[in-house]
Amino acid sequence: MPASASLLGGTADDVIQPFQIEGAAVRGRVVRLGPLVDDILNRHAYPDGVASLLAHALAMTALLGSAIKFEGKLIMQAKGDGAVKTIVVDYRTPGEMRGWVAFDQALYDAAVAKGVDPGREVPQLLGGGYLAFTIDQGPDTERYQGIVGLEGGTLAECAQKYFEDSEQLPSAVKLSAARVDGKWRAGGIMLQYLASAGHQHDDGDEDDDSWRESAILMASTRDEELVNPALTPTQVLFRLFHERGVRVFDPLSLAVFCQCSRERIEDVLAQFAGDDMSDMVVDGKIVVTCEFCSRVYEFEPPAE
């Protein structure tokens, strides 16, 4: 079946577009982030290389989190021993996101001075460490966590390694981030092979051939296509898979969220002893800044 003409339209920004390749055991999702990623990054004074890593992480987490079929949260965490120490992105169903990065400015400047090669940002900025995905269904349930080493050159390669090792699910991921007209944008596309239970792979298998063909076509996507505001996710899919045909499903909208509040922080501060509270006082105030949204809260210190 050829691709539908409806693929020529669609929503352009802050959206997940699920799809399935016609006649193939291949499904996927496209993510396009516009105002969402620009908002999150502009809340912080990250240098471009750090901001780009977080933008990639936001796109990747959206691709993975949008597969959750229950009420809950997917937490992506990357821990490294390089200039970038921690990346955290939360995806809360049905489509809310937040993220932040901790990094060492001196180490980052040194890495940039040596030169950070495209496609090598993970070893050159994060260094050695791990990538963890945690599924949280609420306070009364156990968390599920999968962990993989930072063994790829990019976060997309690390995610593919995670699916191969932890999920035994052949996957292909491509991510992109850039400033367009001064504003941050990010995008990504992911394919997964839906081999049926008990399916045996062999060189002549039609499903295997369609998977390889789809992955090759996906890899041909240019970085600029994934972030181009004039090109919708459905138009990207039409360019890639129109010959075989691609079926799109209802898109999912994305938005920024943060769970911080004055009441939540007050509850946290109440757990500290008097001496510890005193150590937090600066210029007569206790000042707390949310790591995710950078909102600043000021509190009067407790009376002695």
Side-chain angles (χ1 to χ4, degrees):
M1 180 186 296
S4 167
S6 65
L7 286 176
L8 299 178
T11 304
D13 281 340
D14 297 340
V15 67
I16 294 283
Q17 178 61 67
F19 65 92
Q20 175 125 16
I21 306 301
E22 294 285 6
V26 181
R27 69 181 178 190
R29 291 181 290 280
V30 175
V31 60
R32 172 67 59 73
L33 303 179
L36 181 150
V37 69
D38 193 57
D39 182 5
I40 290 175
L41 295 182
N42 283 334
R43 293 172 184 266
H44 307 273
Y46 298 137
D48 280 359
V50 174
S52 181
L53 265 179
L54 179 54
H56 281 99
L58 285 160
M60 179 176 69
T61 305
L63 287 170
L64 304 182
S66 59
I68 295 177
K69 304 302 182 184
F70 49 80
E71 184 175 343
K73 184 163 64 175
L74 174 69
I75 304 164
M76 188 232 78
Q77 186 177 55
K79 283 279 193 178
D81 59 8
V84 176
K85 304 300 182 183
T86 304
I87 304 174
V88 178
V89 175
D90 288 350
Y91 177 99
R92 185 171 69 180
T93 59
E96 297 177 314
M97 302 194 71
R98 61 180 186 171
W100 64 275
V101 179
F103 71 102
D104 184 299
Q105 184 69 59
L107 291 178
Y108 174 78
D109 291 343
V112 171
K114 292 179 181 177
V116 178
D117 300 324
R120 296 285 297 165
E121 56 266 26
V122 167
Q124 292 180 334
L125 292 180
L126 274 160
Y130 65 86
L131 178 66
F133 296 101
T134 304
I135 294 177
D136 184 355
Q137 299 184 57
D140 298 325
T141 61
E142 288 189 17
R143 289 185 170 192
Y144 166 80
Q145 186 174 75
I147 299 177
V148 66
L150 293 173
E151 299 175 8
T154 65
L155 286 177
E157 292 175 3
C158 293
Q160 289 180 183
K161 183 69 173 174
Y162 166 78
F163 278 107
E164 292 170 5
D165 293 352
S166 301
E167 306 293 332
Q168 287 79 52
L169 182 61
S171 302
V173 183
K174 187 164 187 175
L175 305 171
S176 179
R179 288 184 189 270
V180 179
D181 296 329
K183 295 185 177 181
W184 279 102
R185 300 182 61 81
I189 183 170
M190 179 172 69
L191 294 182
Q192 293 181 315
Y193 182 29
L194 302 177
S196 59
H199 180 87
Q200 298 295 319
H201 299 270
D202 61 73
D203 291 338
D205 188 276
E206 184 177 349
D207 281 349
D208 288 353
D209 290 342
S210 64
W211 162 249
R212 284 190 287 269
E213 176 190 338
S214 299
I216 291 170
L217 288 172
M218 191 211 80
S220 71
T221 313
R222 299 192 304 274
D223 288 342
E224 56 268 26
E225 289 180 305
L226 292 174
V227 299
N228 186 348
L231 191 63
T232 68
T234 49
Q235 289 171 326
V236 172
L237 292 173
F238 181 81
R239 288 186 175 191
L240 290 174
F241 305 116
H242 65 278
E243 289 189 4
R244 174 178 283 273
V246 57
R247 179 175 302 180
V248 296
F249 303 97
D250 291 339
L252 174 67
S253 297
L254 300 170
V256 179
F257 86 103
C258 192
Q259 293 176 305
C260 75
S261 70
R262 190 171 188 85
E263 293 73 20
R264 281 176 176 265
I265 296 173
E266 285 177 338
D267 289 342
V268 172
L269 292 176
Q271 300 175 29
F272 288 91
D275 291 342
D276 293 331
M277 290 279 281
S278 298
D279 293 339
M280 300 179 191
V281 178
V282 178
D283 296 331
K285 298 282 187 180
I286 296 175
V287 180
V288 178
T289 302
C290 176
E291 291 176 317
F292 285 99
C293 70
S294 295
R295 184 176 178 182
V296 177
Y297 297 88
E298 291 188 355
F299 301 89
E300 294 292 335
E304 296 187 9

